[in-house]
Amino acid sequence: MRKSLSLIAMAAAALVFVPHAALAQPAPGTCEFKKADIARDIDEAKAKQQTSRVRGLEKALRETQANCSDAKLQKAHHASIQRQEKKVAERQRDLDQARAQGKADKIASREAKLAEEQAQLQKLRTGAR
């Protein structure tokens, strides 16, 4: 009991000393998040000495700093979701058609394609990368 209390106390003390900036992460889907993501990629590319990639990422960061707006990002994200919803609907129609024909091999193939498109849609909706 005493040991677990001391572990809890040590964990709480560690949280006090974590810099506030480390706790404050930009929200996904914002320009600040996008900039931070590109900056992290730049650091990784520098660590791997990928100079061509670093140049490309630095250009992307400059363009993001100059042109990015949260409203534009949100609008683009919404458009991506709508495109993916159309793909899912198309795959569902393909599957329904294959079922109507009764061809097992086509049904299995269409089910797999539909599952892929649905997974992509879910990924977009949750904001996962």
Side-chain angles (χ1 to χ4, degrees):
M1 176 75 175
R2 186 177 197 137
K3 188 175 186 177
S4 64
L5 285 177
S6 64
L7 287 175
I8 292 170
M10 286 175 28
L15 286 176
V16 172
F17 294 108
V18 173
H20 180 67
L23 295 175
Q25 296 289 326
T30 63
C31 291
E32 289 304 313
F33 183 84
K34 187 173 182 176
K35 290 175 198 174
D37 196 32
I38 295 170
R40 186 183 64 248
D41 289 347
I42 290 171
D43 291 341
E44 289 174 7
K46 283 181 179 178
K48 295 177 182 177
Q49 297 177 350
Q50 298 171 328
T51 55
S52 180
R53 185 158 190 253
V54 169
R55 281 193 303 273
L57 288 167
E58 287 173 342
K59 179 181 178 186
L61 183 58
R62 284 190 306 275
E63 290 175 3
T64 299
Q65 290 168 337
N67 302 316
C68 188
S69 78
D70 291 344
K72 283 183 189 177
L73 283 178
Q74 188 175 26
K75 185 176 179 180
H77 183 70
H78 184 66
S80 294
I81 289 174
Q82 287 181 324
R83 279 191 305 274
Q84 193 62 33
E85 287 172 340
K86 286 179 183 177
K87 288 181 183 179
V88 168
E90 182 181 330
R91 294 296 185 191
Q92 184 64 55
R93 282 190 301 275
D94 292 346
L95 175 59
D96 293 343
Q97 189 176 38
R99 284 183 176 152
Q101 293 172 353
K103 296 183 178 179
D105 59 329
K106 284 192 175 189
I107 292 170
S109 172
R110 301 298 195 279
E111 284 175 341
K113 289 179 180 181
L114 176 60
E116 286 177 28
E117 298 295 351
Q118 288 173 328
Q120 184 64 28
L121 177 59
Q122 187 62 29
K123 190 175 175 183
L124 284 170
R125 286 183 173 157
T126 60
R129 289 189 90 203

